[in-house]
């Protein structure tokens, strides 16, 4: 019996094959995708939410206010491919993955994969920005909205510097909020 179990283990390891090296670009995509999925978790409390990032292998820095309950966790993926800011306290909580290594077009593709699976029925909208000189195409930023509630949930993508609007500047940030 033991010999059969060892044989099955060796066979499964042989079929698994060696790990394939991952490109930096793929690591950025994977860490942004994972960050977005973890941000959209229905965690029972803030500590469980933060623990999900720790369990996923993100490095963490925590800033706690000495005057109120404001707490900001900054989680960083390996090789600084992505960064996630998780805030809770006196203002509305938020969780926002971002990167300086992928533009809004790449982030749109991740959003289009994750949000419809997580929130079936949300409606997709596109905001068009100025023409990207490199491609000659306008930048596009995608967002998904809950159509069942006028102040419903919205999940979208923009640039790292939100004041820049929807531009192709090589950065991206996911956001999740309510329309109010």
């Amino acid at each position: 019996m033991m010999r059969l179990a060892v044989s099955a283990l060796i066979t499964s390891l042989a079929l698994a094959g060696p790990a394939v090296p991952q490109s930096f670009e793929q690591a950025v995509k994977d860490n942004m995708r994972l960050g977005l999925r973890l941000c959209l978790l229905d965690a029972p409390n803030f500590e469980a939410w933060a623990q999900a990032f720790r369990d996923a292998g993100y490095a963490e820095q925590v800033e706690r206010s000495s005057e109120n309950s404001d707490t900001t966790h900054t989680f960083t993926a390996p090789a600084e491919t992505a960064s996630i800011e998780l805030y809770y306290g006196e203002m509305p909580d938020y969780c926002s993955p971002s990167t300086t290594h992928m533009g809004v077009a790449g982030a749109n593709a991740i959003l289009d994969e994750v949000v419809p699976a997580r929130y079936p029925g949300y409606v997709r909208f596109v905001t068009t920005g100025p023409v990207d000189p490199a491609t000659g195409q306008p930048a596009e930023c995608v967002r998904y909205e809950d159509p069942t509630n006028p102040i419903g949930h919205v999940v979208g993508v923009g640039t790292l510097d939100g004041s820049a609007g929807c531009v192709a500047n090589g950065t991206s940030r996911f956001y999740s909020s309510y329309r109010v």
Side-chain angles (χ1 to χ4, degrees), residues 92-170:
D93 58 281
Y94 67 87
C95 186
S96 182
S98 63
T99 186
T100 59
H101 306 291
M102 177 175 53
V104 293
N108 287 339
I110 293 170
L111 200 67
D112 287 340
E113 173 191 338
V114 172
V115 175
R118 177 69 176 88
Y119 300 110
Y122 274 35
V123 177
R124 184 181 191 267
F125 295 93
V126 177
T127 301
T128 304
V131 172
D132 177 2
T135 65
Q137 299 295 316
E140 293 185 341
C141 292
V142 171
R143 73 183 185 282
Y144 284 84
E145 296 185 8
D146 177 358
T148 64
N149 186 335
I151 59 168
H153 186 223
V154 58
V155 182
V157 66
T159 58
L160 191 55
D161 174 11
S163 65
C166 183
V167 295
N169 67 2

Side-chain angles (χ1 to χ4, degrees), residues 45-104:
N45 57 50
F46 293 118
E47 182 53 37
W49 204 5
Q51 188 61 46
F53 287 98
R54 291 182 204 112
D55 292 346
Y58 290 89
E60 177 185 25
Q61 289 185 331
V62 181
E63 185 180 319
R64 289 185 174 86
S65 172
S66 60
E67 299 173 13
N68 58 34
S69 64
D70 287 347
T71 304
T72 303
H73 297 261
T74 302
F75 296 97
T76 307
E80 298 185 5
T81 52
S83 178
I84 292 85
E85 189 171 286
L86 170 61
Y87 165 86
Y88 48 90
E90 303 298 310
M91 302 297 287
D93 58 281
Y94 67 87
C95 186
S96 182
S98 63
T99 186
T100 59
H101 306 291
M102 177 175 53
V104 293

